[in-house]
Amino acid sequence: MEAYVKHNIQEGIATIEFFHPEQNSLPGAILAQLANTITEVGNNEEVKVIILQSGGDRTFCAGASFKELIAIDDAATGKVFFSGFANVINAMRKCPKFIIGRIQGKTVGGGVGIAAATDYCMATQFAAIKLSELNVGIGPFVVSPAIERKMGVSATSQIAIDANSFYDAKWAKEKGLFANVYESIEALDEAVLAFAKHLCTYNPEAMLEMKKIFWRGTEDWDNLLAERAAISGRLVLSEFTKETLKKFK
């Protein structure tokens, strides 16, 4: 199957789904399409709540595309590359509707940032998380503000420094990333849909005002995440990272 971003709207619930055959890793073009779709759907008056999910049943998101990462050869290109997840997170932050995250499996790097940027995140027991960026000589600079906002500095620094380890869904729930964890994808989907339908019974204006309050203090993220993308774009050109990436060619 080819990579895609698609959405559908039924009874006030918009479901946005992304997919990539390489464990739902996201190249720049798909990230841009995802950010634009979130913005478009969020501004649709028919939509009361959004479900964000990925295709497949094993991995929610493996992070940024490694092929594109290896191909970076200048700082400007690096900044554009790392701005992909920044644009998605900022689209989610600015979206006037609550976004429910449906995390069916493992999520790595930028995928953890997307999960953290949802307003209410639900997962299966198989949804272990990992921030692996330090392994290749960079860091989770772009996504860490969203993760820190949900999980706190202590938990964020723990998984960022321990870049080799997956942390299980129970740990992620205890730290505030996941609201609920379910035994199967079927149970997750049932719970996500029921919760979305329930949110549709609430006053849209009240939910909009609540979202503004929940995201208070992030008004500088357009600039902050761009600055973070520039840091990663510079580090990816370092001798350490270039030597490390040669192993993956």
Side-chain angles (χ1 to χ4, degrees), residues 62-114:
S65 168
F66 227 70
K67 290 181 180 179
E68 289 191 0
L69 179 65
I70 292 171
I72 295 171
D73 58 7
D74 63 83
T77 301
K79 181 179 179 180
V80 170
F81 173 83
F82 289 105
S83 292
F85 279 94
N87 294 335
V88 171
I89 290 171
N90 277 322
M92 296 171 73
R93 173 177 66 87
K94 296 173 185 177
C95 178
K97 313 294 168 59
F98 283 146
I99 300 175
I100 303 170
R102 180 255 197 197
I103 316 300
Q104 82 279 22
K106 287 183 176 180
T107 186
V108 178
V112 182
I114 289 179

Side-chain angles (χ1 to χ4, degrees), residues 124-141:
T124 70
Q125 62 178 322
F126 309 107
I129 64 172
K130 180 181 183 181
L131 290 181
S132 58
E133 287 88 344
L134 198 58
N135 276 319
V136 293
I138 54 177
F141 298 108

Side-chain angles (χ1 to χ4, degrees), residues 68-198:
E68 289 191 0
L69 179 65
I70 292 171
I72 295 171
D73 58 7
D74 63 83
T77 301
K79 181 179 179 180
V80 170
F81 173 83
F82 289 105
S83 292
F85 279 94
N87 294 335
V88 171
I89 290 171
N90 277 322
M92 296 171 73
R93 173 177 66 87
K94 296 173 185 177
C95 178
K97 313 294 168 59
F98 283 146
I99 300 175
I100 303 170
R102 180 255 197 197
I103 316 300
Q104 82 279 22
K106 287 183 176 180
T107 186
V108 178
V112 182
I114 289 179
T118 63
D119 298 294
Y120 196 94
C121 201
M122 305 161 79
T124 70
Q125 62 178 322
F126 309 107
I129 64 172
K130 180 181 183 181
L131 290 181
S132 58
E133 287 88 344
L134 198 58
N135 276 319
V136 293
I138 54 177
F141 298 108
V142 171
V143 298
S144 61
I147 300 169
E148 182 181 322
R149 172 180 168 270
K150 269 287 176 70
M151 303 177 67
V153 175
S154 177
T156 301
S157 61
Q158 181 176 341
I159 58 176
I161 294 171
D162 186 12
N164 284 319
S165 300
F166 272 102
Y167 286 74
D168 65 24
K170 180 181 177 182
W171 185 88
K173 180 178 183 293
E174 290 173 350
K175 301 303 180 183
L177 179 62
F178 301 146
N180 296 294
V181 174
Y182 300 88
E183 292 187 358
S184 66
I185 292 177
E186 292 75 19
L188 171 65
D189 285 340
E190 183 178 340
V192 167
L193 183 58
F195 189 67
K197 287 181 176 179
H198 190 67

